[in-house]
Amino acid sequence: PGSERAPPPPPPAPQTVFPHAPRPSIASSLPALESRPLDDEVIGLRDAIVSKDEYTWEPRLIDECYTKLAAAPKKGRAILFYSQHPDGTLDNMATHGGCPVLEGTKWASNLWIWNKAMPFGSSRFQSKDDDSGDSSGVDVEVSTTGVSAEVFWVGGGGEEAPMGTVSQGDNLRLNSFVGHSFVARRNGAEVSRYTVARGAQAWAVPP
């Protein structure tokens, strides 16, 4: 009796790859992840791109698409990930790219969501009952004649996010929106608070 042949692998998919994240060892058991290896068919398609343009970035990315963490596309599927850590610093592991389309076509859309108040951004992210914002940005020049101070944005819930340091002779320039608040601290102690109004602003942090 003849034995059944294994089904052929699916065609190469234009995945979304996270090149700084290693491909998990259990990728083959997770339907949402790319589980196909960098096989002969994919290598042939990759090399065909190289023969057309030896300087293209696509071959390198293709290698990463089949050796790093990559999510395979499927109609109706979405990928959720955070680009920042809770303290506002960028998460390097969230670096991602769209893998080259080797066969067929790919349709996708992006949606950026903030799950809490933005440090500074368009007033369309404010509540409908809050008319303190302005859709145009406001420049704020922060200066001091004293020792250096750390400047923080203050959220509606009192949370703070670092914006930079202002020093004597080295001003800090912010671009924010009407109604947003900031605090200046030295060694953790508050020395000044500021709320953005309309028009170009100058905030002098006391020495």
Side-chain angles (χ1 to χ4, degrees):
S3 59
E4 293 185 1
R5 292 184 177 181
Q15 315 92 313
T16 297
V17 64
F18 295 82
H20 296 164
R23 182 185 183 199
S25 58
I26 58 172
S28 59
S29 64
L30 301 175
L33 298 185
E34 174 59 59
S35 58
R36 175 175 177 158
L38 188 64
D39 57 25
D40 291 341
E41 181 185 3
V42 176
I43 292 174
L45 292 169
R46 180 201 64 189
D47 292 346
I49 295 176
V50 177
S51 65
K52 296 178 181 178
D53 182 1
E54 62 178 311
Y55 300 106
T56 181
W57 52 268
E58 292 180 312
R60 175 186 57 79
L61 185 57
I62 291 171
D63 289 343
E64 293 178 341
C65 290
Y66 289 89
T67 58
K68 301 294 184 178
L69 177 64
K74 184 178 181 180
K75 184 178 181 180
R77 179 175 289 170
I79 305 171
L80 173 65
F81 60 92
Y82 285 87
S83 298
Q84 295 174 299
H85 295 290
D87 64 358
T89 58
L90 295 179
D91 186 352
N92 191 49
M93 298 289 281
T95 301
H96 62 285
C99 297
V101 179
L102 301 179
E103 290 183 4
T105 59
K106 175 184 177 181
W107 290 79
S109 63
N110 296 322
L111 177 62
W112 286 266
I113 301 174
W114 290 80
N115 59 358
K116 63 189 301 184
M118 298 172 63
F120 47 90
S122 172
S123 62
R124 65 178 178 270
F125 291 99
Q126 296 171 328
S127 66
K128 293 183 178 179
D129 296 331
D130 181 4
D131 60 358
S132 62
D134 192 330
S135 60
S136 59
V138 176
D139 292 323
V140 181
E141 184 86 7
V142 189
S143 63
T144 186
T145 57
V147 298
S148 300
E150 300 295 324
V151 176
F152 299 84
W153 167 82
V154 182
E159 68 276 16
E160 297 182 3
M163 302 303 299
T165 302
V166 58
S167 305
Q168 186 173 359
D170 187 11
N171 293 354
L172 175 66
R173 294 175 176 83
L174 305 174
N175 182 269
S176 191
F177 291 81
V178 172
H180 287 203
S181 297
F182 298 86
V183 61
R185 297 184 179 277
R186 291 192 179 99
N187 298 321
E190 179 180 331
V191 294
S192 180
R193 278 188 178 259
Y194 186 83
T195 299
V196 179
R198 299 181 186 276
Q201 307 283 309
W203 174 21
V205 176

